[in-house]
Amino acid sequence: MPVRYGSLPFQEQIDFFRQKLNLPTEHWNDIWRDAHDRAFVVAGATKTDLLADLRGAVDKAISEGKSLNWFKQEFKNIVAKHGWEHNGPADWRSRVIFETNLRQSYSAGREVQIEKIKHKRPYALYRHGGSEHPRELHLKWNGLVLPVDDPWWETHSPINGYGCSCKKFMLSEQDLKRRGLTVGQAPDDGTYDWVDKRTGEVHQIPKGIDPGFDYRPKSPKQLTEQVKKLEAEKPALADRSPPRMVDSAFSTAKGVNAQALSDLLQQLPEQQRQPIADFLSSKKTKTLFVKQSELGKGKGAWDLVKPISEYLGTTENKARWAYFHRKPTMVNGFTSKSWEHVVVKVKASDKLKSVDMKLVQQAAAEVVRDAKNNAGPLGGKHWSISANVERNVGDSAKRVATWLHELGHQIHFYAGSPDLSGMGAVSKYGMTNSYEVFAEWFAAWSLAKDEVILFDPTIAKRIEEIISQAIKSKGKA
């Protein structure tokens, strides 16, 4: 059941959410209980800009009464923009973030109102919210009336867990008489031990309450200092998350992202890995991993205009042409001299984590070796590095080879686009023109440098000279 609290937000709810501090965290329980009243967290969102975008979407949902479906689409755009690999399916994760923040801010806003009017309405009613899968004790507490200042409310004020839609209503003496209600006794349902598996710390939680929800949502100012202290005590993000070769990537395929690509590139020998890392560091080349249906003129392509424009830092009009291709079925990837990004076509089923990099290197080495021995299937050559990787290792692996090929173009552009047609081609596709000569050789060198040296050591040396020129270059000739 989607979360519903009426069509209009109220100011106390909005104020509660907006006074929070952004706090990047690796795990949902990095901060505990009422510290959440002063911190906006999304488990696993460790980057400040990622967390800021998620917060902006939640803020808009609360203050403008946006729907769950709207937030789901915003969530997917933000995930694609930052290449964030989150736990769980996107629809489930976005719903948890949306509903938890909406309900908690609602409850906290109501608590502010309660403090203002409790002298007129000194009683509180627990009302079960009608969840699809109700908790047994929440049903038991339904209809319970207690004084608003009863200590029971300190640990049992809704919401009391993920997906909980219970509410707390204020009542006056007259309300009790009119509705035939009586003030009850605070139930003692016992507690249970919950162990934080990361720290070994044992917490006693009231039964019926999820870990971390056993507090009354409110916004005391002193919690700000508690959250600031927690953030100050965290190691620097660079220490918690080692730098990766590919700093960022926009992706519409969950299994394809900057981190997974970086993990594969880290497996390359240092002689190839370091020059690639140096170029990426000096030029900040960005990457778009986009599905075939999103490269053409359809609705899927238009839906990406805004998030891609934000990722590339350009206008929406320019962004629309930054990933458009007239023949998306005929292309694996593409780039342009006027761009600072590369585009790689992906499938929703792609998973870079499943790629065996050694097999990718072997497939590339086969292309070079067969070209040397005139043993390839197309006039002594293979069609391309990526085609042979796909044939031997699979679709996901092909994305790595294609990305290296397109990055090779950017390196070639920054080195002044020297004419390399006299160098000869390593593949049939490399024979297309001088640009493709280098892009194919660069992919071959990246994945199988030893084979390139065996083919012709002067080619390996020339590739390295061009990479060096590109790193030092201030622009594209």
Side-chain angles (χ1 to χ4, degrees):
M1 176 184 292
V3 61
R4 292 181 184 275
Y5 284 123
S7 59
L8 295 175
F10 56 98
Q11 195 58 45
E12 289 87 352
Q13 179 184 13
I14 297 170
D15 290 345
F16 169 80
F17 183 77
R18 288 183 174 171
Q19 54 81 39
K20 291 188 174 192
L21 302 171
N22 286 355
L23 184 61
T25 59
E26 286 86 2
H27 306 91
W28 69 270
N29 55 340
D30 275 357
I31 66 170
W32 191 243
R33 299 179 74 243
D34 48 359
H36 283 272
D37 288 340
R38 273 298 186 181
F40 175 72
V41 302
V42 175
T46 59
K47 284 197 154 189
T48 303
D49 51 353
L50 165 62
L51 194 63
D53 284 351
L54 289 169
R55 180 184 180 139
V58 174
D59 185 286
K60 199 166 187 176
I62 291 173
S63 61
E64 299 180 17
K66 296 291 187 181
S67 68
L68 174 58
N69 285 337
W70 174 88
F71 184 77
K72 284 181 177 180
Q73 186 56 53
E74 286 296 296
F75 178 81
K76 290 176 181 177
N77 290 342
I78 291 167
V79 167
K81 174 183 174 182
H82 294 278
W84 182 37
E85 188 171 1
H86 55 79
N87 292 327
D91 280 355
W92 169 82
R93 190 69 194 277
S94 57
R95 179 171 180 161
V96 168
I97 295 170
F98 177 83
E99 294 191 354
T100 300
N101 279 283
L102 212 65
R103 286 175 172 148
Q104 200 74 325
S105 61
Y106 171 90
S107 297
R110 287 291 182 240
E111 289 291 336
V112 173
Q113 294 178 338
I114 286 170
E115 288 299 312
K116 294 177 181 178
I117 64 169
K118 67 180 182 180
H119 63 288
K120 294 181 179 179
R121 296 183 177 181
Y123 304 103
L125 167 69
Y126 191 102
R127 182 64 73 194
H128 182 259
S131 300
E132 293 180 35
H133 305 288
R135 295 162 171 86
E136 183 179 347
L137 284 175
H138 293 199
L139 287 173
K140 176 188 172 184
W141 302 331
N142 185 48
L144 175 66
V145 178
L146 295 173
V148 71
D149 289 327
D150 192 293
W152 189 83
W153 292 115
E154 290 298 321
T155 52
H156 292 74
S157 285
I159 59 174
N160 286 319
Y162 290 108
C164 172
S165 56
C166 297
K167 297 179 186 176
K168 177 180 173 184
F169 295 98
M170 298 300 293
L171 299 171
S172 65
E173 290 280 2
Q174 188 176 358
D175 292 329
L176 293 180
K177 293 175 182 178
R178 188 179 69 253
R179 299 171 67 171
L181 297 172
T182 58
V183 179
Q185 294 291 322
D188 182 2
D189 298 296
T191 61
Y192 66 96
D193 289 342
W194 181 79
V195 181
D196 187 332
K197 293 180 179 178
R198 293 187 303 112
T199 65
E201 186 177 0
V202 179
H203 298 273
Q204 278 203 331
I205 313 292
K207 288 183 178 179
I209 311 294
D210 286 2
F213 284 83
D214 54 327
Y215 69 97
R216 182 164 65 97
K218 49 190 175 181
S219 54
K221 299 298 182 182
Q222 62 265 31
L223 284 174
T224 300
E225 296 307 315
Q226 179 184 348
V227 173
K228 285 182 177 178
K229 184 173 182 291
L230 285 167
E231 175 64 4
E233 290 174 351
K234 278 180 174 285
L237 182 59
D239 296 331
R240 289 182 274 142
S241 303
R244 57 193 184 194
M245 286 180 64
V246 183
D247 182 61
S248 69
F250 179 98
S251 177
T252 60
K254 182 179 178 182
V256 181
N257 54 65
Q259 186 62 61
L261 178 59
S262 295
D263 290 344
L264 293 173
L265 296 176
Q266 285 292 342
Q267 299 176 44
L268 295 174
E270 185 177 2
Q271 287 184 330
Q272 294 104 287
R273 184 178 69 244
Q274 194 57 54
I276 295 173
D278 290 344
F279 175 79
L280 291 171
S281 177
S282 66
K283 301 300 181 286
K284 307 298 182 185
T285 304
K286 294 186 175 182
T287 299
L288 301 179
F289 288 117
V290 185
K291 295 192 285 291
Q292 180 175 298
S293 61
E294 299 159 340
L295 293 173
K297 299 179 179 180
K299 182 179 182 301
W302 285 103
D303 287 344
L304 296 182
V305 171
K306 183 179 178 181
I308 286 181
S309 72
E310 292 175 352
Y311 172 67
L312 295 179
T314 188
T315 65
E316 291 186 10
N317 185 51
K318 289 182 179 179
R320 179 63 189 93
W321 300 104
Y323 59 100
F324 173 77
H325 200 281
R326 295 183 184 278
K327 298 180 179 179
T329 60
M330 304 293 289
V331 68
N332 294 319
F334 51 97
T335 189
S336 169
K337 183 179 288 189
S338 62
W339 295 351
E340 296 299 332
H341 69 276
V342 300
V343 181
V344 177
K345 185 171 74 176
V346 296
K347 292 182 179 179
S349 58
D350 286 339
K351 289 182 174 58
L352 292 187
K353 281 190 173 182
S354 68
V355 173
D356 187 328
M357 200 60 173
K358 289 184 179 179
L359 295 180
V360 175
Q361 293 170 287
Q362 290 172 12
E366 181 182 34
V367 174
V368 181
R369 189 165 52 250
D370 284 353
K372 176 178 175 61
N373 298 324
N374 199 33
L378 299 172
K381 299 182 186 297
H382 289 265
W383 173 249
S384 68
I385 300 292
S386 62
N388 202 50
V389 169
E390 178 186 25
R391 183 174 69 87
N392 287 280
V393 196
D395 283 339
S396 296
K398 179 183 180 181
R399 313 310 171 206
V400 182
T402 300
W403 182 84
L404 286 167
H405 176 101
E406 300 306 329
L407 184 69
H409 281 308
Q410 285 294 322
I411 290 172
H412 191 219
F413 296 151
Y414 267 104
S417 303
D419 185 357
L420 303 172
S421 55
M423 194 163 66
V426 71
S427 66
K428 194 77 173 177
Y429 186 64
M431 297 170 67
T432 306
N433 54 49
S434 179
Y435 296 104
E436 302 304 344
V437 168
F438 181 78
E440 281 291 279
W441 272 119
F442 173 75
W445 173 88
S446 300
L447 296 167
K449 178 181 176 180
D450 290 346
E451 286 294 337
V452 175
I453 292 173
L454 289 174
F455 184 99
D456 186 343
T458 63
I459 292 177
K461 183 179 180 181
R462 183 70 176 120
I463 292 169
E464 289 164 6
E465 289 172 349
I466 290 173
I467 297 172
S468 180
Q469 290 171 7
I471 292 170
K472 296 173 184 177
S473 174
K474 301 298 184 182
K476 300 173 185 177

